[in-house]
């Protein structure tokens, strides 16, 4: 344990306790930095920056010198879920090319899997039943949440020939992609044959994927949720699949993770489940921006990738 008064600097708190690759990345980038975890004894008063993935509520109690709390992922809903999150600290998140590239590949794979019916064929046993053939050029993909990841995914899909549109709070100017704002949701939905959710989870977006929204999509639309389980009304999804309003869904995120073994989704032939793996922060790629922020924090300079406390994302 460092002596009282030593600047410990950086605290890592992860719910999965997967610290080793993060500590290794810090050592490789700047061996002089003192990085601790809850498993190490340390003086709470010496910690100025905390980095977290789903820290248990109250984890920051007693850390009186904290100036910055950073999410180790792109999403920050886990930060705001803690009612005792200190109000004076600045919040940051991850914006990273690798994270965007991985999300591009993952959503592209799901779109192709859907239009080429691969998941359906995988579940048809010995039945030899060709389905109508669909080409990329026939399909419009709508992206709910047209921010860092949404735009990256949209650009990749568009470059491969999909027609793409994006929906966000403010209009965007992205070549080849039609941008819609919140006043144009119905228009956006009406032509989204595949709907991809890449919104942050906030009060305004909670359970946005519900029956009313599904009914505004073209009949037989396909849903891809790679954002958060809290965006989806689970009962409404099952009803929309039963009625044929939705033809299927690919879900990477869930209210409860891991998804409980007795959950109805596991047995549903039209639901493709992945275990929150669409795009996972890579320590080697992400740590340099954290160190840059640590240096900026110590100079009272503007931080990178700041999260707005007004918007909650
Ligand atoms: P950004 O903050 O860059 O983008 C969010 C987008 O959503 C912005 O375009 C924003 O609009 C828009 N938005 C926010 N609130 C609303 C609203 N109420 N109505 C309409 N549009 C809204 O986030 P990222 O792209 O970096 O990440 C998005 C989410 O992806 C994360 O929050 C996380 O939950 C999820 N994620 C999932 C992963 C996985 O493995 N499954 C991996 C990484 C992230 P505007 O631009 O106008 O502000
Ligand atoms: C993230 C995630 O938000 O992994 O980065 O979901």
């Amino acid at each position: 344990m460092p002596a009282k008064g030593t600047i410990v600097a950086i605290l890592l708190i992860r719910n999965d306790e997967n610290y080793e690759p993060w500590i290794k990345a810090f050592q490789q980038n700047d061996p002089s930095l003192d990085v601790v975890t809850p498993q190490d004894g340390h003086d709470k008063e010496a910690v100025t920056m905390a980095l977290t993935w789903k820290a248990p509520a109250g984890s920051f109690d007693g850390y009186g010198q904290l100036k910055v709390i950073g999410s180790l992922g792109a999403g920050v809903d886990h930060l705001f879920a803690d009612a005792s999150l200190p109000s004076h600290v600045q919040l940051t998140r991850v914006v990273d090319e690798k994270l965007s590239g991985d999300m591009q590949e993952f959503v592209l794979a799901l779109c192709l899997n859907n239009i080429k019916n691969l998941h359906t064929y995988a579940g048809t046993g010995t039945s030899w039943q060709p389905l109508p053939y669909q080409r990329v050029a026939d399909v419009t993909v709508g992206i709910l949440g047209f921010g860092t990841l949404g735009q990256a995914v949209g650009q990749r899909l568009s470059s491969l020939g999909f027609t793409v549109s994006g929906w966000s709070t403010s209009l965007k100017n992205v070549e080849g992609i039609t941008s819609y704002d919140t006043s144009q949701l119905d228009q956006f939905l009406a032509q989204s044959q595949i709907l991809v959710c890449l919104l942050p989870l906030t009060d305004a977006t909670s359970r946005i994927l519900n029956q009313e929204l599904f009914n505004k999509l073209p009949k037989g639309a396909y849903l891809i949720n790679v954002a958060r389980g809290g965006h989806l009304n689970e009962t409404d999804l099952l009803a929309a699949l039963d009625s044929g309003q939705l033809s299927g869904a690919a879900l990477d995120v869930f209210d409860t993770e891991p998804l409980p073994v007795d959950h109805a989704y596991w047995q549903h032939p039209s639901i493709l489940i992945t275990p929150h793996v669409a795009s996972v922060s890579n320590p080697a790629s992400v740590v340099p921006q954290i160190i840059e922020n640590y240096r900026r924090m110590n100079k009272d300079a503007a931080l990178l990738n700041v999260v707005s406390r007004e918007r909650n994302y």
Side-chain angles (χ1 to χ4, degrees), residues 84-105:
S84 61
L85 184 74
S87 56
H88 66 280
V89 298
Q90 285 203 79
L91 305 176
T92 63
R93 71 186 192 104
V94 168
V95 175
D96 175 59
E97 268 184 27
K98 242 192 192 114
L99 199 71
S100 297
D102 290 351
M103 188 60 87
Q104 289 175 319
E105 289 181 9

Side-chain angles (χ1 to χ4, degrees), residues 25-313:
F26 273 104
Q27 279 164 352
Q28 279 169 350
N29 279 279
D30 185 346
S32 75
L33 281 178
D34 208 349
V35 180
V36 293
T37 75
Q39 295 161 355
D40 312 311
H42 59 273
D43 174 7
K44 289 186 171 185
E45 283 296 304
V47 173
T48 51
M49 177 184 262
L51 300 160
T52 170
W53 185 246
K54 299 186 182 173
S59 289
F60 306 111
D61 293 353
Y63 288 91
Q65 302 304 317
L66 263 185
K67 292 189 197 162
V68 174
I69 297 177
S71 168
L72 287 170
V76 292
D77 45 296
H78 65 106
L79 299 181
F80 293 113
D82 180 356
S84 61
L85 184 74
S87 56
H88 66 280
V89 298
Q90 285 203 79
L91 305 176
T92 63
R93 71 186 192 104
V94 168
V95 175
D96 175 59
E97 268 184 27
K98 242 192 192 114
L99 199 71
S100 297
D102 290 351
M103 188 60 87
Q104 289 175 319
E105 289 181 9
F106 199 84
V107 174
L108 171 63
L110 292 175
C111 289
L112 291 174
N113 185 18
N114 168 243
I115 67 172
K116 304 298 176 187
N117 299 303
L118 303 183
H119 181 235
T120 311
Y121 288 131
T124 51
T126 54
S127 134
W128 186 273
Q129 189 89 56
L131 294 164
Y133 200 84
Q134 264 191 299
R135 294 184 177 80
V136 162
D138 303 329
V139 179
T140 298
V141 182
I143 302 178
L144 278 173
F146 202 45
T148 309
L149 297 175
Q151 288 181 35
V153 166
Q155 283 168 316
R156 175 68 64 90
L157 295 177
S158 171
S159 73
L160 292 170
F162 286 95
T163 302
V164 180
S165 52
W167 183 74
S168 42
T169 311
S170 55
L171 287 173
K172 311 291 178 207
N173 189 5
V174 179
E175 201 187 329
I177 299 183
T178 314
S179 168
Y180 295 88
D181 68 17
T182 37
S183 68
Q184 301 166 302
L185 179 61
D186 291 6
Q187 242 176 297
F188 163 83
L189 293 172
Q191 36 83 56
S192 296
Q193 294 158 284
I194 297 179
L195 184 71
V196 179
C197 182
L198 268 168
L199 285 162
L201 183 62
T202 64
D203 286 348
T205 65
S206 172
R207 308 295 171 208
I208 188 171
L209 302 173
N210 58 32
Q211 186 183 16
E212 195 188 339
L213 178 143
F214 298 147
N215 287 341
K216 292 175 178 167
L217 292 166
K219 179 104 179 151
Y222 189 77
L223 173 69
I224 296 176
N225 187 15
V226 282
R228 286 292 180 265
H231 288 121
L232 179 62
N233 180 316
E234 296 197 346
T235 312
D236 289 3
L237 171 64
L238 293 172
L241 291 170
D242 280 353
S243 72
Q245 178 56 25
L246 290 182
S247 57
L251 307 176
D252 184 56
V253 285
F254 303 90
D255 271 336
T256 306
E257 295 180 3
L259 185 65
V261 288
D262 59 351
H263 197 287
Y265 287 168
W266 285 113
Q267 306 307 329
H268 202 294
S270 307
I271 298 181
L272 174 58
I273 294 170
T274 50
H276 200 146
V277 290
S279 178
V280 178
S281 286
N282 176 291
S285 183
V286 163
V287 159
Q289 68 179 258
I290 294 173
I291 293 178
E292 172 63 19
N293 261 350
Y294 178 68
R295 293 185 180 136
R296 288 175 181 230
M297 177 191 80
N298 286 337
K299 286 190 291 193
D300 285 329
L303 301 182
L304 306 172
N305 309 326
V306 171
V307 175
S308 156
R309 283 191 182 256
E310 284 76 52
R311 301 182 314 179
N312 281 15
Y313 69 91

